[in-house]
Amino acid sequence: MANEFCQIKFFKIVFIALVFLLTLTLVAHRKLLNSENDSLLKEQRSTLKFESYENFNAMTASDLKFRIEEMLRMKNAVSLELRELESRRSKLQGDISSYNQKIEELRQEEHREKTELDRLKMSIDQAKVTLREALQQNTPDMALPKKLFPNQLPGNNKPLAAKDIMKCEMSNCFDYSRCSLTSGLPVYLYDPDNFNILKSNYDIDGFLKTTIKQTLGYNAHLVSNPKIACIYLVVIGEAFSENELHPNNRYNVEDEQNDIQDGTIEESPIDVGKLYKLPYWGGDGRNHVLLNLARRDLSSTAKNMIGSKNTMRAIVVQSSYFKSNYRHGYDLVVPPILGPPGGDVWQEGSLIVPARRLYLMSFQGEIRPVPIGASTKYSNPLDDFIVDHLNEIAQSATQDKFLLQFKCIPATDHRDQNAISDWSLCGTDSSRRTVLRDSTYVLILPPNGGQISSTLMQSRVYEALRSGAIPVILGADEVQLPYSETIDWRRVAILLPKARITELHFLLRAVTDTDILQMRRQGRIIWERYLSSVQSTVDTIISYLRDRLGIPPRPSPFVVAHSVFNSSFTPLRADPPVPESEPEESLGPIEPPYPSPQYRRNYTLRTQTNEIWNDIADPFYLYPQLPFDPVMPSEAKFLGSHMGFRPIGKGMGGAGKEFSEALGGNYPREQFTIVMLTYEREQVLMDSLGRLYGLPYLHKVIVVWNSPKPPLDDLRWPDIGVPVTVVKAPRNSLNNRFLPFDAIETEAVLAVDDDVHLRHDEILFGFRVWRENRERVVGFPGRFHAWDINSNQAWNYNSNYSCELSMVLTGAAFVHKYYHYLYTYWLPQAIRDKVDEYMNCEDIAMNFLVSHITRKPPVKVTSRWTFRCPGCPVSLSEDDTHFQERHKCINYFSQVFGYTPLLYTQYRADSILFKTRIPHDKQKCFKYI
């Protein structure tokens, strides 16, 4: 019962709840309907009221006007509010943009500061390495050795006995105590006008006396104080007797025959008494050099030869020697003086090409008669066979043409019937030159009668090299050639013993065109540098003696860099320029100025004597550095010779990060100098200087001010972190670009035009490439010389895009400072004059010079082919006349050099890892190169 009661009670409660909920729902629904109806009614009433209010038909004109004005005021107010909102929105957007820009600038500044901090950390590390090297080295400056010469005149020594004269060597007949290694070889000249040691019936040729005095006056070794002299020069020849001045006179043959004993000529033009009375003779003639230089007289008689019997310890310098009076390693064989006093001699030379000429070989000569009663003594049966065999070759049926004449046509008038048996010269200098320029080879037969050198033979060698005919010296083992201790004659001539006469034709045919041209080129270099003029002969003799004594040359003169600013005027400095927006990367440490070490190899250059005399052909001066200095092996960076080296990753190598922290390479640390030529465009110059701010490894900037007007007083020079030296040019010349200024203290020189825009990474990449190619031109814009197929006889200058190039423009190129010396002092003056005439082509001249010395093409870096300068005025290079002049320059320079030294190259240098895919955590050597 209880359960049922509970169930009934539960159902009642549920029923009541449902009823209550239903009632509540209905009430709510009714209230919502009433509320919606009220809203609709209010809206309808409002609409009716608005429509009633906006009923323009019921409004008066004044009400309508008022309504319109009210609406206009509302419109203007809304428009003004909208404009204010738009202005506020624009300002907010500008602020947002400005803040974003500042944020970006701060980010870039943070990146730059971080990069700068990294560079400073690298610089600190580099400074620690430098300090550690300095402490490890701990070597005091090298003190000069004690001077050997006593600063007094030579003493009165005991005369040398006649039997000991032929035993003279440098070790027992030369006084080294007067020639210190640091003395620079002081040379004293006996004035030939005051000291004539010839016999009374002889005299020195006036031209020779005057010319030698003048040429020695230009030589840096000449001194006026005899007390400090190492060598005393005595001018003797050429000697002419009174009889020689009268062509109708003849020498007394019987008297001359009496002077010939055992192959030795005792007769001499020297008055022994006068010789021994020279004020500084010192009793035995030590350190005296007797210059017997023939010029006109090409005979080989006793009259133009100095006998060694009475010269004691004096060194004899002449072109004629007998085997019995030549002291090997002591006396000096020189050619006769046949050229002008000095200056350019290139016009006297001959073109090197083509390799093969009209005649394979030529010879023109006639044997001089043998003195009466001495024919058996000097005759050689092999000589007759040689002549017969050569005549047989000339007459044989062969495709090679020979010009062999053993009798002069017309016949030569032998005035000196007593002359030593030798081959005389046929014809005139002009006729012989014509034949030699048509000859690939020229035969040179040595003199008979025991002579190892004669004036005639040396004259033939001189004329052959001048005309580009390769000397074929038969009997070379029996003769002495000029300067044989230093000049490698195997690179110039074909040297054969007489026994090879039957194989001569075969040998000449076996020589390739390449070797013919190389020998002809080398022969021309030897002729130009050492034989061509009085100046070159005198300078070579002194340099030869200096080299024999092991004394370094005198330093090459430099050009003093005079500032363009008045000493009392200080140029205005501008704040450091803001770097332009360009790719940022860490390129190298910030270093203090570090000039390249100078003159470190003064006393070890003798290890390269062969290269200096034959390849470089410049033994006359000492240079601060050479681009040909040897490279140490890789182990030297870590074992014993590590000073100055900065290997990548301390020797472990590495990619971009480690690469940017050290120079690496095969050479110790170094910096470079920028030389910038400018002329009357100051703002362009200032912009170019400003772009150099922060450039690593930059030592100094030298601005060559070519304009005659000084810089403006209010011109503000940018502070780029390194010295800027503004040099006043001696005159407006493009040659000033390559003057060897003393202000250039580094080996590396970057020549840059003032309108060239190069990125820092491009410059540093070029610098790194140059360090591995120091002897070459390394730069950016490439050009080439193209053969003119229309004329088929000339070159054209070409700037078109090409897969070959032979020049790199020096408007943006690295060269070694050594080439500045050569360009200024070694290059023929005619080339520099042509540059001044055209105001053009100095870059072509430098490329010619470097390729001529090295026989290598330039090195082009990066893909740049030209440069753009949007703000610059129109340059001369855009004028067609500019290219026409450059065509002419190439062909003219080829004439001066005798050939075109430019060589082609078909590659350019790009950075390692340039297109290599590397891990994401590694950097390339250069990000953008």
Side-chain angles (χ1 to χ4, degrees):
M1 289 291 293
N3 290 336
E4 290 179 356
F5 178 78
C6 289
Q7 290 179 352
I8 294 170
K9 188 176 181 178
F10 175 76
F11 282 117
K12 287 181 179 181
I13 292 171
V14 171
F15 177 78
I16 294 170
L18 289 174
V19 171
F20 177 77
L21 290 174
L22 179 62
T23 305
L24 183 63
T25 302
L26 292 174
V27 172
H29 179 67
R30 180 176 179 82
K31 286 184 176 182
L32 287 174
L33 289 177
N34 293 334
S35 176
E36 288 181 357
N37 292 332
D38 292 342
S39 298
L40 291 174
L41 181 61
K42 289 180 180 180
E43 184 176 355
Q44 288 176 358
R45 290 176 180 175
S46 176
T47 302
L48 292 174
K49 183 179 180 180
F50 179 75
E51 289 179 353
S52 172
Y53 183 78
E54 294 294 336
N55 187 5
F56 297 105
N57 294 327
M59 295 178 61
T60 64
S62 59
D63 294 336
L64 182 61
K65 179 180 179 182
F66 173 79
R67 182 60 181 162
I68 292 173
E69 290 176 353
E70 183 68 18
M71 293 180 66
L72 289 176
R73 281 194 300 270
M74 293 174 60
K75 177 183 177 184
N76 291 336
V78 172
S79 299
L80 180 61
E81 185 176 357
L82 288 176
R83 282 196 296 269
E84 290 178 353
L85 291 175
E86 181 64 24
S87 175
R88 191 177 303 172
R89 186 181 70 84
S90 299
K91 184 176 182 301
L92 290 175
Q93 287 181 342
D95 292 341
I96 293 172
S97 177
S98 176
Y99 290 142
N100 288 334
Q101 183 177 358
K102 288 181 179 180
I103 292 173
E104 184 63 27
E105 289 177 356
L106 290 174
R107 288 176 180 174
Q108 293 180 359
E109 183 67 20
E110 179 189 13
H111 178 70
R112 282 196 294 268
E113 293 295 337
K114 185 178 179 181
T115 303
E116 190 72 12
L117 179 61
D118 293 339
R119 291 178 61 187
L120 289 174
K121 290 180 180 179
M122 284 190 290
S123 301
I124 293 173
D125 293 337
Q126 297 284 353
K128 290 180 179 179
V129 173
T130 303
L131 178 61
R132 185 168 62 251
E133 289 177 348
L135 295 175
Q136 290 176 357
Q137 190 172 9
N138 193 26
T139 303
D141 292 337
M142 184 182 298
L144 293 176
K146 183 179 178 180
K147 293 185 177 180
L148 296 180
F149 58 81
N151 197 24
Q152 62 185 14
L153 296 175
N156 191 11
N157 302 288
K158 182 181 179 180
L160 194 65
K163 63 182 180 62
D164 296 327
I165 292 179
M166 289 305 300
K167 299 178 183 178
C168 267
E169 297 177 351
M170 294 296 294
S171 59
N172 58 15
C173 284
F174 194 87
D175 184 6
Y176 282 89
S177 67
R178 303 194 64 86
C179 304
S180 169
L181 287 175
T182 60
S183 65
L185 192 74
V187 175
Y188 179 82
L189 172 67
Y190 286 98
D191 191 338
D193 291 325
N194 300 328
F195 297 97
N196 185 357
I197 65 171
L198 300 181
K199 295 178 180 178
S200 58
N201 60 329
Y202 289 90
D203 194 9
I204 302 176
D205 177 56
F207 171 83
L208 198 62
K209 287 193 299 185
T210 304
T211 305
I212 290 181
K213 286 177 61 177
Q214 290 178 347
T215 54
L216 276 172
Y218 299 133
N219 197 289
H221 296 276
L222 190 68
V223 296
S224 58
N225 184 4
K227 291 183 179 181
I228 66 172
C230 166
I231 289 177
Y232 299 87
L233 293 181
V234 183
V235 178
I236 296 175
E238 72 202 295
F240 288 101
S241 69
E242 295 177 357
N243 287 331
E244 286 182 287
L245 300 178
H246 300 281
N248 295 327
N249 293 346
R250 292 290 183 268
Y251 295 104
N252 190 319
V253 176
E254 293 181 0
D255 291 342
E256 295 287 353
Q257 293 169 6
N258 296 332
D259 294 327
I260 303 174
Q261 299 175 359
D262 299 329
T264 301
I265 300 298
E266 304 296 341
E267 170 65 22
S268 172
I270 295 179
D271 187 326
V272 176
K274 294 181 180 179
L275 180 65
Y276 295 169
K277 290 181 180 178
L278 288 173
Y280 317 117
W281 183 257
D284 57 2
R286 62 183 63 197
N287 292 38
H288 277 62
V289 177
L290 308 182
L291 295 179
N292 182 25
L293 304 177
R295 185 176 69 92
R296 285 198 304 252
D297 184 22
L298 301 182
S299 62
S300 298
T301 67
K303 295 181 297 304
N304 74 333
M305 190 186 306
I306 301 175
S308 61
K309 182 176 182 179
N310 299 320
T311 58
M312 294 193 185
R313 293 185 176 180
I315 298 174
V316 177
V317 178
Q318 62 184 10
S319 57
S320 296
Y321 286 98
F322 283 90
K323 189 175 183 179
S324 56
N325 75 338
Y326 175 71
R327 295 166 292 187
H328 188 78
Y330 196 72
D331 293 329
L332 178 56
V333 179
V334 298
I337 292 178
L338 299 176
D344 283 356
V345 294
W346 64 271
Q347 291 177 320
E348 297 292 320
S350 178
L351 294 178
I352 293 175
V353 291
R356 306 282 177 175
R357 295 177 173 180
L358 176 62
Y359 302 112
L360 179 64
M361 187 176 69
S362 68
F363 178 83
Q364 289 180 301
E366 186 174 70
I367 194 71
R368 284 177 176 262
V370 180
I372 300 173
S375 59
T376 57
K377 184 180 292 185
Y378 301 128
S379 62
N380 187 343
L382 183 58
D383 293 340
D384 295 332
F385 174 77
I386 290 174
V387 174
D388 293 339
H389 182 72
L390 290 173
N391 281 323
E392 181 181 346
I393 292 177
Q395 297 172 5
S396 62
T398 174
Q399 61 179 350
D400 298 316
K401 295 187 65 175
F402 293 85
L403 178 61
L404 303 177
Q405 297 178 357
F406 300 101
K407 293 289 183 181
C408 292
I409 303 174
T412 300
D413 179 20
H414 299 296
R415 286 174 45 198
D416 298 334
Q417 297 300 322
N418 63 300
I420 302 302
S421 179
D422 198 359
W423 293 93
S424 65
L425 300 172
C426 294
T428 63
D429 178 77
S430 177
S431 64
R432 292 194 299 271
R433 185 181 307 198
T434 301
V435 172
L436 289 173
R437 288 188 172 183
D438 285 337
S439 304
T440 306
Y441 302 95
V442 58
L443 181 65
I444 297 179
L445 297 174
N448 291 321
Q451 277 191 284
I452 59 172
S453 178
S454 70
T455 310
L456 284 168
M457 187 193 78
Q458 301 297 347
S459 301
R460 288 183 178 275
V461 174
Y462 173 94
E463 292 183 351
L465 299 182
R466 179 186 63 182
S467 299
I470 299 173
V472 178
I473 304 177
L474 207 58
D477 52 343
E478 305 172 10
V479 300
Q480 284 291 326
L481 292 171
Y483 315 115
S484 56
E485 294 178 29
T486 54
I487 294 179
D488 188 356
W489 285 97
R490 294 171 299 179
R491 299 173 57 181
V492 176
I494 295 179
L495 311 178
L496 294 175
K498 290 181 179 179
R500 296 286 187 190
I501 182 60
T502 57
E503 301 171 304
L504 177 60
H505 189 193
F506 168 80
L507 178 61
L508 299 184
R509 290 294 299 169
V511 181
T512 64
D513 287 359
T514 303
D515 292 324
I516 290 174
L517 293 175
Q518 181 61 24
M519 294 177 72
R520 189 174 293 155
R521 171 185 173 273
Q522 187 69 16
R524 173 159 175 151
I525 291 175
I526 298 301
W527 172 76
E528 284 184 341
R529 300 298 285 165
Y530 307 130
L531 315 177
S532 60
S533 65
V534 180
Q535 183 77 60
S536 61
T537 300
V538 171
D539 291 344
T540 303
I541 291 172
I542 293 179
S543 295
Y544 188 87
L545 296 173
R546 178 196 51 71
D547 189 84
R548 180 185 283 181
L549 294 172
I551 300 175
R554 296 294 180 95
S556 178
F558 51 76
V559 176
V560 178
H562 295 289
S563 176
V564 75
F565 300 110
N566 219 329
S567 58
S568 60
F569 175 74
T570 302
L572 299 176
R573 289 290 178 186
D575 294 332
V578 178
E580 296 182 6
S581 56
E582 61 179 27
E584 288 283 347
E585 58 178 313
S586 179
L587 299 174
I590 301 174
E591 296 182 328
Y594 180 74
S596 299
Q598 299 185 3
Y599 299 107
R600 283 197 167 186
R601 303 188 62 226
N602 298 2
Y603 300 94
T604 56
L605 278 176
R606 296 198 70 194
T607 60
Q608 292 178 277
T609 294
N610 183 68
E611 291 85 352
I612 290 174
W613 279 83
N614 296 279
D615 296 328
I616 306 175
D618 191 7
F620 308 114
Y621 290 105
L622 190 68
Y623 298 96
Q625 310 93 3
L626 288 175
F628 317 104
D629 289 343
V631 181
M632 283 195 264
S634 297
E635 294 89 343
K637 303 176 187 177
F638 313 101
L639 302 177
S641 301
H642 59 279
M643 301 297 181
F645 286 97
R646 302 291 186 266
I648 303 297
K650 299 182 180 180
M652 294 291 293
K657 181 180 183 299
E658 296 80 8
F659 178 76
S660 65
E661 295 175 353
L663 263 178
N666 304 308
Y667 292 88
R669 62 170 178 152
E670 61 183 331
Q671 297 176 348
F672 63 93
T673 302
I674 289 180
V675 175
M676 189 177 295
L677 199 69
T678 187
Y679 185 88
E680 292 188 354
R681 44 184 184 184
E682 288 83 353
Q683 192 53 52
V684 173
L685 173 66
M686 297 303 108
D687 293 341
S688 295
L689 289 175
R691 288 191 290 267
L692 300 177
Y693 175 76
L695 178 60
Y697 306 116
L698 177 60
H699 180 263
K700 184 187 299 182
V701 177
I702 295 179
V703 177
V704 182
W705 194 268
N706 250 13
S707 173
K709 301 177 182 178
L712 299 176
D713 293 343
D714 59 349
L715 188 62
R716 303 185 67 86
W717 295 79
D719 184 0
I720 60 174
V722 299
V724 177
T725 302
V726 187
V727 178
K728 183 179 181 181
R731 58 192 179 90
N732 182 20
S733 172
L734 293 179
N735 293 311
N736 296 334
R737 183 193 297 274
F738 303 122
L739 290 176
F741 291 112
D742 57 347
I744 302 176
E745 299 178 284
T746 60
E747 295 186 57
V749 181
L750 173 60
V752 181
D753 287 339
D754 59 0
D755 59 354
V756 167
H757 187 175
L758 285 172
R759 300 198 316 266
H760 287 190
D761 56 345
E762 293 176 315
I763 294 176
L764 292 187
F765 176 64
F767 175 54
R768 289 179 178 271
V769 172
W770 174 87
R771 297 183 75 236
E772 301 176 16
N773 301 272
R774 311 171 77 84
E775 77 282 9
R776 300 160 80 171
V777 179
V778 177
F780 298 87
R783 301 293 184 264
F784 64 99
H785 63 302
W787 188 245
D788 187 352
I789 59 177
N790 295 323
S791 66
N792 202 29
Q793 58 182 355
W795 292 105
N796 284 335
Y797 171 85
N798 204 311
S799 62
N800 294 332
Y801 295 97
S802 172
C803 291
E804 275 189 336
L805 62 90
S806 58
M807 292 174 282
V808 165
L809 301 187
T810 54
F814 284 92
V815 294
H816 198 284
K817 185 184 177 182
Y818 167 71
Y819 294 117
H820 285 224
Y821 288 98
L822 294 191
Y823 187 97
T824 303
Y825 301 121
W826 189 89
L827 197 68
Q829 183 63 40
I831 291 182
R832 295 194 296 274
D833 291 342
K834 185 62 67 174
V835 170
D836 286 336
E837 177 186 347
Y838 288 156
M839 286 299 289
N840 198 346
C841 304
E842 85 287 356
D843 48 358
I844 299 177
M846 178 58 80
N847 278 271
F848 264 68
L849 172 64
V850 176
S851 294
H852 175 66
I853 295 295
T854 64
R855 301 307 300 130
K856 294 178 180 179
V859 177
K860 173 176 168 45
V861 293
T862 76
S863 60
R864 284 186 181 267
W865 195 260
T866 185
F867 292 103
R868 303 291 182 186
C869 183
C872 299
V874 178
S875 63
L876 295 175
S877 60
E878 298 182 12
D879 187 2
D880 183 64
T881 306
H882 171 81
F883 286 92
Q884 296 300 323
E885 290 172 347
R886 293 172 83 78
H887 300 330
K888 296 176 183 177
C889 284
I890 290 181
N891 291 285
Y892 181 75
F893 295 169
S894 299
Q895 292 288 327
V896 174
F897 278 91
Y899 75 116
T900 305
L902 299 177
L903 295 173
Y904 293 106
T905 182
Q906 299 180 351
Y907 78 94
R908 76 168 189 238
D910 288 314
S911 173
I912 295 177
L913 305 181
F914 171 48
K915 288 190 175 181
T916 305
R917 293 184 178 180
I918 61 176
H920 67 278
D921 59 337
K922 298 292 183 181
Q923 297 178 9
K924 292 190 175 182
C925 315
F926 290 93
K927 295 180 182 178
Y928 310 103
I929 295 181

